[in-house]
Amino acid sequence: MSIAAQRADERDVTFMRRALTLAKKGWGQTAPNPMVGAVVVKDDVVVGEGYHTRYGAAHAEVDALRAAGDRARGATVYVSLEPCAHFGKTPPCVDALIAAGVARVVAATRDPSPPASGGAERLRAAGINVAFDVEAAAARELNAPFFHAVVSDRPWVSVKLALSIDGAIADASRGPAWLTGKKARREVHKLRAGTDAIAVGLGTVRADNPELTVRDAPPPRVAPARVVFTRRGQLPITSAVARTASDVPTIVVAESVDLQHARRLLALGVEVVAATSLEEALRALRQRGIRSLLVEGGAGITGALLGANLVDRLIIFQAPVLLGAGALPGFESAPTMAAPGARRYPIVRRTELDDDLMTVYALHSI
């Protein structure tokens, strides 16, 4: 590769990373659409930027072209997803790009959605140079539930655990207590804001009585539903999630249902879903519009999901504390693996949050 070509590639990467940074500003606001960012560049100078701010609002390319105005003619547009070629909530982005007279479009990755795809071909037919696969992995990771929904009948599942150094989620007393600090807990609320539903097992409800709402982050456009996995549907009617089910959608998923107790839950606004397996349960959630599911423990549901190979991302918040003998291991119900053959999971992200460490592991590819 020539030096000039290498520098061009470096410029493409730099501007695409900026587009991805802009895309993240739509966190919690764009679903079921993806988060998308766009940058208009002319003579190596950014002349316009934009991102998809909210579901139903202008797409990133249109937002960036408006900012660029006449300077968009002959420019290169960097966009984190292939421009759409269909009429949805807004007109096709390819029409706006063609009308603006841009010379080149660099897209991180193709749009996997059949109704929206085909933008590249439309642009090329109009004489616009189109390139793909710049920061493609990062672009797909950002919108993993969107890409996953095209090929799967279940939600994209992320399991989050807060662990001690010795891998425990609770001390010997089993009493509720924070392991991680405020910054890590704020990050969890941000994760909640970017998901369609938050799930726990019945044991977590009984031990912690969580609200499972977004409180310490910008509120999402649509509040995530709450899901409780339980064998017999015995969610306590006095629990926080049951008492507030009329305000926030709440679903109990059970293998078998006690009809009398189910009627009490239904009167509170709780939806009760019968499913004989986790696979069936996840399919039922997907049918209800849930494309991303954040599972916040505990050890039982974590082990069951891992055992069924239904975890896409494992998010570990590790606190610098030791809980010692008698503590509850976070993975005590996970499948047994022999050390020599144990799989090494790729690390997607690793971030220090004060003295806590957040690590995201990829169990499945996108």
Side-chain angles (χ1 to χ4, degrees), residues 24-117:
K24 294 173 186 176
K25 291 186 175 185
W27 187 268
Q29 305 302 320
T30 66
N33 284 353
M35 293 170 280
V36 182
V39 178
V40 184
V41 177
K42 192 166 188 178
D43 299 326
D44 290 338
V45 176
V46 174
V47 296
E49 293 185 337
Y51 67 99
H52 188 33
T53 59
R54 191 176 178 85
Y55 178 71
H59 286 190
E61 302 94 316
V62 173
D63 198 29
L65 289 171
R66 286 174 182 168
D70 292 340
R71 294 172 296 179
R73 187 160 299 277
T76 296
V77 177
Y78 295 86
V79 59
S80 57
L81 185 68
E82 178 185 11
C84 65
H86 77 304
F87 281 90
K89 291 285 185 181
T90 61
C93 291
V94 293
D95 290 353
L97 291 163
I98 292 168
V102 305
R104 182 174 179 242
V105 172
V106 182
T109 185
R110 283 199 176 262
D111 191 326
S113 176
S117 61

Side-chain angles (χ1 to χ4, degrees), residues 18-332:
R18 176 58 185 165
L20 286 165
T21 297
L22 290 166
K24 294 173 186 176
K25 291 186 175 185
W27 187 268
Q29 305 302 320
T30 66
N33 284 353
M35 293 170 280
V36 182
V39 178
V40 184
V41 177
K42 192 166 188 178
D43 299 326
D44 290 338
V45 176
V46 174
V47 296
E49 293 185 337
Y51 67 99
H52 188 33
T53 59
R54 191 176 178 85
Y55 178 71
H59 286 190
E61 302 94 316
V62 173
D63 198 29
L65 289 171
R66 286 174 182 168
D70 292 340
R71 294 172 296 179
R73 187 160 299 277
T76 296
V77 177
Y78 295 86
V79 59
S80 57
L81 185 68
E82 178 185 11
C84 65
H86 77 304
F87 281 90
K89 291 285 185 181
T90 61
C93 291
V94 293
D95 290 353
L97 291 163
I98 292 168
V102 305
R104 182 174 179 242
V105 172
V106 182
T109 185
R110 283 199 176 262
D111 191 326
S113 176
S117 61
E121 287 71 25
R122 286 272 310 277
L123 293 171
R124 285 170 178 150
I128 297 172
N129 181 280
V130 180
F132 281 105
D133 296 327
V134 178
E135 295 294 289
R140 287 192 288 268
E141 187 69 34
L142 177 62
N143 287 301
F146 171 75
F147 284 87
H148 182 75
V150 177
V151 297
S152 178
D153 62 354
R154 67 164 178 83
W156 177 260
V157 177
S158 300
V159 171
K160 185 276 301 182
L161 289 175
L163 301 175
S164 63
I165 292 173
D166 47 343
I169 58 175
D171 62 24
S173 74
R174 302 297 191 267
W178 296 113
L179 290 181
T180 55
K182 290 183 179 179
K183 194 169 183 179
R185 297 201 295 273
R186 283 198 298 270
E187 184 66 22
V188 172
H189 280 269
K190 181 182 176 182
L191 291 173
R192 289 180 176 184
T195 194
D196 292 332
I198 307 160
V200 294
L202 182 59
T204 297
V205 173
R206 287 175 170 162
D208 301 337
N209 194 27
E211 295 179 28
L212 302 180
T213 56
V214 179
R215 300 183 299 279
D216 201 7
R221 184 181 68 88
V222 178
R226 288 93 57 94
V227 177
V228 180
F229 290 98
T230 167
R231 291 191 182 278
R232 297 179 181 83
Q234 294 293 331
L235 174 68
I237 60 174
T238 57
S239 63
V241 290
R243 288 186 291 103
T244 58
S246 60
D247 300 320
V248 181
T250 304
I251 303 170
V252 166
V253 181
E255 291 183 12
S256 60
V257 178
D258 179 290
L259 293 179
Q260 187 174 3
H261 189 74
R263 291 190 188 100
R264 296 192 188 101
L265 292 175
L266 290 169
L268 293 172
V270 177
E271 182 179 4
V272 180
V273 176
T276 58
S277 67
L278 281 173
E279 291 87 347
E280 183 181 349
L282 291 180
R283 286 195 297 270
L285 294 176
R286 179 70 178 85
Q287 290 168 1
R288 285 158 176 76
I290 294 172
R291 302 200 302 180
S292 57
L293 184 69
L294 177 65
V295 182
E296 297 198 17
I301 187 62
T302 296
L305 287 166
L306 286 169
N309 194 28
L310 293 171
V311 179
D312 299 298
R313 292 292 178 270
L314 183 61
I315 307 171
I316 301 297
F317 290 83
Q318 188 175 55
V321 297
L322 282 167
L323 297 183
L328 176 61
F331 295 101
E332 70 167 1

